[in-house]
Amino acid sequence: MSEKLVDARDTYCPGPLMELITHMKKAEVGDVLELLSTDEGTVNDVPEWVDKIGHEMVSSEEADGVWHLKIRKMK
Amino acid sequence: MRILIVGGGTGGTIVANNLARRLSKEIRTRKARITMLSASDQHMYQPGLLYLAFGQMTPDELYRDQASLLESSIIFHVDPVEEYKIEEKYVVTKSGKRHNYDVLVIATGSRIAPAQIPGMTEGADTFYTEESAIKLFKKLREFEGGTIAIVVGVPHKCPIAPVELVFSLNDYFKKRGIRDKVHIKYHYPIGRIHTIENVATWAKPEFDRMGIEYETLFNVEEVDAENNVVKSLEGTETAYDLLIAIPPHCGMEEIEANNLGEDGWIPTDRHSLLMDGRDDVYVVGDTTNLPVSKTGSAAHFEAEVIAENIASVIKMGTPVRDYDGKVYCFIETGHDSATYAMFDYKNPPDLTNPSKPMHWFKMAYNQMYWTSVRGLL
């Protein structure tokens, strides 16, 4: 199990959630991905997807205009 | 100064031609040399594949001889690279030839990877290769009614393609007079119908107007080709008569085999476009791991920055420009209208209303591309 950073700051296309999905495909169950985003919509988009898939939202924090979302892969 | 460009797609070709002009004096006086190594003697205009899938272009219109697109001072070999010796500053090609360099530009692009999804190769059609686009067109011509499902793999090249496909399908079946017999169901990986919020906001009422059914938060997990059912990671499924997939993509095999980047995407600085940890290796277009669209447009704007910086480093010892994330995408909104999206790292896309003139401009650009890739536009 490992932690990996996904830097999706300042991206509109493909966008933070698409970046997260791409990296999640390669992650192992139990891995935690930390997504960095400057898009405020990420705060709603990511938990919605995480909840639907059944992964785990570990944390969601904002610092200096950057959202840090930690997600654990569960399946 | 030996400049080696690996890959003869949009990005590699624009870097080569732009540099050849900037360094014409240095090349003439043998102070600089530009060599391109490519896997093919042909250059494909990839956006043309969507037109091919709807019978609006023929395959020959998609290609030019690569050599005919290059400045005459560029040394060109059809001999793909198999080994990258980044520390030792040389590559080895398929024919076994060694090429030393002072500056390397990697522009090898991406490829479709439908095999990542069980059943997708057998059960889904696509239009990301010449062969598959022709096969899809033949199926569309024979289609007399039923459900066409569209699914989208991640990551994928040309993020606007799924939406363009829907508009094209709607117009195609309208023209055939059987639109009422065709049910189009669109599936998208995130919680709206396109990743760019403005595009999603604009396209949703358009989809409603055209009678397109859509399901969001649908990440294709498996295609049951025997029973014509596509299943999502989220636990839902759709039965189809014809399944069209935007397949997931990955970088080229030799990039991963040489440990240059996971899945064939090379870690790249988002502004300098240098490979992480190197000051002598640039990466352009789909080959980067940057969080920007994998499109010819991004490759074009990146290529201009790389060429200008390589030339300025040679002439004055320092790069002069940063890539700002610029991307410009045409959006075909049917067979007779279009709009566009332009954005960069700091500015989100702002859509204008679709219009016929923008569609005509796109039609013109399909020809102007050959001027653009020569580095003249």
Side-chain angles (χ1 to χ4, degrees), chain B residues 218-264:
Chain B
F218 187 104
N219 283 276
V220 57
E221 182 180 42
E222 181 188 354
V223 178
D224 178 351
E226 267 187 33
N227 296 301
N228 283 12
V229 175
V230 58
K231 300 173 183 175
S232 76
L233 200 57
E234 290 81 357
T236 58
E237 58 183 52
T238 294
Y240 62 83
D241 296 295
L242 176 63
L243 177 65
I244 306 176
I246 310 297
H249 282 64
C250 61
M252 303 312 276
E253 202 174 349
E254 64 271 18
I255 299 298
E256 193 162 24
N258 281 275
N259 296 316
L260 297 181
E262 190 180 25
D263 267 358

Side-chain angles (χ1 to χ4, degrees), chain A residues 1 5 7 9 11 17 21 35 43 52 62 67 73:
Chain A
M1 280 175 247
L5 196 67
D7 186 354
R9 288 173 293 172
T11 174
L17 180 51
I21 292 171
L35 177 70
V43 182
K52 181 125 187 196
E62 186 265 334
W67 280 265
K73 181 166 178 165

Side-chain angles (χ1 to χ4, degrees), chain A residues 4 7-15 17-19 21-23 25-26 39 41 45 48-49 52-53 75, chain B residues 116 154-155 159 188 190 192 195-196 217 219 233-234 248 262-263 270 291-293 343-348:
Chain A
K4 187 173 180 184
D7 186 354
R9 288 173 293 172
D10 299 324
T11 174
Y12 297 104
C13 185
L17 180 51
M18 285 287 203
E19 288 292 326
I21 292 171
T22 296
H23 286 85
K25 279 170 60 179
K26 300 294 291 183
D39 175 9
D45 294 349
E48 182 188 23
W49 179 72
K52 181 125 187 196
I53 289 278
K75 58 192 258 197
Chain B
Q116 287 183 3
V154 179
Y188 201 68
I190 69 170
R192 53 180 180 260
T195 189
I196 298 175
L217 294 172
N219 283 276
L233 200 57
E234 290 81 357
E262 190 180 25
D263 267 358
R270 60 170 65 194
V292 298
S293 310
F343 49 95
D344 57 35
Y345 289 142
K346 293 294 180 193
N347 298 293

Side-chain angles (χ1 to χ4, degrees), chain B residues 25-41:
Chain B
K25 185 178 167 193
E26 287 79 2
I27 293 171
R28 233 179 13 254
T29 54
R30 297 176 184 263
K31 288 179 182 156
R33 186 179 73 198
I34 303 172
T35 303
M36 173 179 280
L37 302 172
S38 179
S40 172
D41 66 349

Side-chain angles (χ1 to χ4, degrees), chain B residues 58-176:
Chain B
T58 51
D60 55 305
E61 293 177 86
L62 304 181
Y63 296 98
R64 296 285 187 278
D65 288 337
Q66 175 65 15
S68 75
L69 301 173
L70 296 173
E71 289 284 314
S72 58
S73 60
I74 297 165
I75 302 161
F76 175 56
H77 300 290
V78 179
D79 196 5
V81 171
E82 293 197 336
E83 283 182 64
Y84 290 84
K85 300 291 184 186
I86 298 291
E87 293 298 330
E88 296 86 357
K89 297 173 79 106
Y90 72 88
V91 302
V92 180
T93 64
K94 190 177 179 182
S95 72
K97 195 168 178 193
R98 171 175 167 157
H99 291 263
N100 300 311
Y101 63 79
D102 297 300
V103 176
L104 175 66
V105 179
I106 305 179
T108 45
S110 62
R111 62 195 164 117
I112 57 171
Q116 287 183 3
I117 311 287
M120 183 176 275
T121 304
E122 302 80 16
D125 283 276
T126 184
F127 53 89
Y128 276 75
T129 63
E130 178 191 328
E131 184 188 9
S132 63
I134 294 171
K135 187 174 157 213
L136 175 57
F137 177 59
K138 288 176 178 171
K139 285 197 180 180
L140 292 175
R141 264 180 74 82
E142 290 166 7
F143 200 78
E144 294 299 333
T147 297
I148 297 180
I150 298 159
V151 294
V152 179
V154 179
H156 57 271
K157 179 153 49 184
C158 189
I160 216 69
V163 171
E164 289 185 311
L165 173 66
V166 169
F167 283 103
S168 293
L169 284 169
N170 181 67
D171 275 13
Y172 176 76
F173 287 113
K174 252 170 74 180
K175 276 183 186 159
R176 281 188 50 197

